[in-house]
Amino acid sequence: RVRGTVKIRGRAYKVDCIERMDHSWGHRNPVVMNAQDSISASFGDNLALHVIGLLDLDAPVGQEQRLAHAYILEDGQVHGVRDGQLRTTRLGNVVTAMDMQLTDVRGKTFDIHGYSEVGAPWNAYVSTVTYTSMMRWFYQGRTGHGCVMETMGLPALSKRRGRRSTEHSGTFFTG
């Protein structure tokens, strides 16, 4: 739980929220990182979740994300997620909407829908871009907040979005 005040551009905002911190102590190659999701949603004091997903940028829409691990924090108890499906809508690389169906180890299923309120890229590592979307989530009439962070390596992004020299006409224009 985070409580306090944050001051942004001279304006003070009160903060009282539950959020998660994701930190892996494992080795990472910052040049060739696998594409992945880090997703959070909080619906108040008694319900929050955290999801790590693997991205396959070459797979068809609806099949590009695979659950790596996740948990549901409900009424102070943590329950691992045993199955999850994610369906994401993007504008370019930024997530604009997401549907999640998560089933925890108790067999309880959570159908959650969310849309982005704002999003932008962030260079978290030397050769990755993390497209971050601040989300408004909906679950059984409840409204929650959180984020989706999709980290993609520059080599993979260049392969999909970059221009190849054979695509240029050979003409250059300068100011």
Side-chain angles (χ1 to χ4, degrees), residues 56-123:
D56 179 352
L57 301 173
D58 295 321
V61 172
Q63 299 174 27
E64 76 275 22
Q65 293 162 297
R66 185 171 48 90
L67 180 70
H69 56 87
Y71 63 83
I72 305 289
L73 174 62
E74 187 173 33
D75 297 324
Q77 300 293 314
V78 176
H79 306 281
V81 171
R82 70 172 188 216
D83 187 40
Q85 285 80 43
L86 304 158
R87 183 161 179 93
T88 302
T89 303
R90 295 175 182 84
L91 178 60
N93 290 321
V94 178
V95 171
T96 57
M98 181 178 279
D99 293 302
M100 294 187 285
Q101 185 177 67
L102 305 171
T103 303
D104 70 18
V105 294
R106 301 171 294 174
K108 186 171 181 178
T109 298
F110 297 80
D111 289 305
I112 300 166
H113 171 73
Y115 66 85
S116 173
E117 294 188 310
V118 65
W122 167 46
N123 291 91

Side-chain angles (χ1 to χ4, degrees), residues 34-39 50-56 64-70 86 149-151:
N34 293 328
Q36 61 186 356
D37 286 315
S38 178
I39 303 164
H50 178 58
V51 175
I52 296 291
L54 303 176
L55 290 173
D56 179 352
E64 76 275 22
Q65 293 162 297
R66 185 171 48 90
L67 180 70
H69 56 87
L86 304 158
M149 298 185 296
E150 292 196 330
T151 300

Side-chain angles (χ1 to χ4, degrees), residues 122-136:
W122 167 46
N123 291 91
Y125 295 95
V126 69
S127 101
T128 66
V129 178
T130 299
Y131 293 93
T132 303
S133 296
M134 302 306 292
M135 303 292 286
R136 183 174 298 236

Side-chain angles (χ1 to χ4, degrees), residues 9-10 14 21-22 24 27 36 38 48 60 65 69 84 96 133 142 155:
R9 295 187 180 125
K14 288 185 179 180
M21 183 180 89
D22 177 56
S24 169
H27 172 73
Q36 61 186 356
S38 178
Q65 293 162 297
H69 56 87
T96 57
S133 296
R142 296 173 70 175

